[in-house]
Amino acid sequence: MTDGVGMGGGAPARAAVIGLGSMGLGMAQSLLRAGFEVHGCDVVPANLEAFAKAGGSGAATPAAAAEGADVVVCVVVNAAQTEAVLFGSEGAVAAMKPGAVVISCATMDPEVVRGLAARVEAAGCLYLDAPMSGGAKRAAEGALTFLASGSQAAFTAARPALNAMAAKIYELGSAPGQGAAFKMVNQLLAGVHIAAACEAIAFAAKQGLDIARVYEVISASAGTSWMFENRIPHVLAGDYTPLSSVEIFVKDLGIVHDMAHGAKFPVPMAAAALQMFLMTAASGMGRDDDSSVARLYAQVSGTKLPGPPRSS
């Protein structure tokens, strides 16, 4: 059990996790291991069942989960969902005690983050802009990387929970929105790297190469990337179970595009990658793993990849 999560009277600190999907469930489990009393909320009954089996307490609404919580970890998909779980009719903020902290993890436009933070702080609570990186496996291990920004008070309040969920915590500034901006730089690179990796492996298949051997050789060569090494095994296995879906990068590269447009800054590489994710989603693979971009290349070029043909 991690030290420092008890309250003054010795009772365990209480955390709420809103969103118990592939990332949020692992984060909630990490908090449980660290000694937090964890209450979770999710719209998918199966996710609540998995959370209960892990030792957590389910709640019907964000407000019910957040009641009496010292920290509310918001692990939903986008800005609209974040606003809904914080400020909707059963939102968490109205139920939070003064001085409690929201750790907001969704990837969002920095300007949107600043607006949400101002509303949370106006309600007497703290807001930590804390998008994360690392994937479901690292979430379950308590080994995520957080790209965080916020007031010193927000960092202090969030620190025990962050320590339970993270291997690395980058403090990137005192103003919410700075963490989000760092995350968008990461997502620009991640999206471009995934698209490039999928293009490369499909190109190799079109040349008649043994793509398992291509993976072995490129992973040990200068052309490799973390995304190549992480995503191409999905292609080799023909398994597109969504660990990170195509739609995630449609959203995130769309945010990069909008930010760049507003700043009059050219992002041709990100724009090309965005189009590949958009075409993959339009082909019916939006909810599949983001390595499905390789299937799009195979589909348009008549190239055979492992696994059964994609169903219409």
Side-chain angles (χ1 to χ4, degrees):
M1 180 180 296
T2 300
D3 293 336
V5 299
M7 302 303 292
R14 176 166 170 160
V17 178
I18 314 298
L20 297 167
S22 59
M23 296 294 290
L25 178 60
M27 294 161 75
Q29 290 171 325
S30 296
L31 290 167
L32 286 166
R33 287 196 304 271
F36 281 85
E37 175 190 339
V38 186
H39 297 254
C41 179
D42 197 282
V43 296
V44 179
N47 292 348
L48 283 171
E49 291 171 11
F51 177 58
K53 288 180 181 177
S57 299
T61 66
E67 186 73 39
D70 303 287
V71 56
V72 174
V73 186
C74 187
V75 200
V76 292
V77 173
N78 54 32
Q81 290 185 7
T82 301
E83 181 172 20
V85 302
L86 293 179
F87 299 107
S89 60
E90 298 287 347
V93 171
M96 292 171 65
K97 62 186 183 183
V101 62
V102 171
I103 300 177
S104 181
C105 300
T107 301
M108 296 182 276
D109 186 306
E111 190 61 36
V112 174
V113 170
R114 287 188 279 271
L116 291 170
R119 292 170 67 186
V120 169
E121 290 163 1
C125 298
L126 301 167
Y127 186 101
L128 193 72
D129 173 23
M132 73 281 189
S133 182
K137 182 174 183 292
R138 292 184 186 178
E141 294 169 350
L144 291 169
T145 295
F146 282 90
L147 314 178
S149 65
S151 67
Q152 191 56 57
F155 270 108
T156 298
R159 180 70 59 185
L162 291 175
N163 287 343
M165 298 184 291
K168 294 182 181 179
I169 304 162
Y170 289 104
E171 297 189 22
L172 301 173
S174 60
Q178 290 170 293
F182 272 85
K183 180 63 182 294
M184 296 322 303
V185 174
N186 181 80
Q187 294 307 89
L188 185 160
L189 288 165
V192 168
H193 288 170
I194 291 168
C198 290
E199 181 176 298
I201 204 69
F203 176 68
K206 187 66 174 178
Q207 304 311 304
L209 301 178
D210 177 347
I211 60 172
R213 188 69 167 162
V214 170
Y215 174 74
E216 177 188 352
V217 171
I218 298 302
S219 294
S221 302
T224 195
S225 68
W226 190 92
M227 285 300 187
F228 182 90
E229 295 180 28
N230 183 266
R231 297 308 204 266
I232 298 308
H234 305 176
V235 179
L236 299 181
D239 183 357
Y240 298 93
T241 302
L243 301 179
S244 173
S245 74
V246 169
E247 292 287 4
I248 293 294
F249 278 97
V250 171
K251 172 182 72 76
D252 290 356
L253 290 176
I255 294 171
V256 169
H257 180 274
D258 292 345
M259 290 170 64
H261 184 268
K264 294 183 171 59
F265 184 87
V267 285
M269 303 296 289
L274 172 59
Q275 292 304 312
M276 295 311 303
F277 285 106
L278 279 168
M279 286 189 281
T280 304
S283 296
M285 295 179 276
R287 295 183 181 275
D288 294 343
D289 191 78
D290 51 32
S291 59
S292 291
V293 173
R295 287 195 289 172
L296 179 71
Y297 275 105
Q299 182 177 303
V300 300
S301 64
T303 302
K304 174 65 176 174
L305 290 176
R310 186 187 67 82
S311 58
S312 302

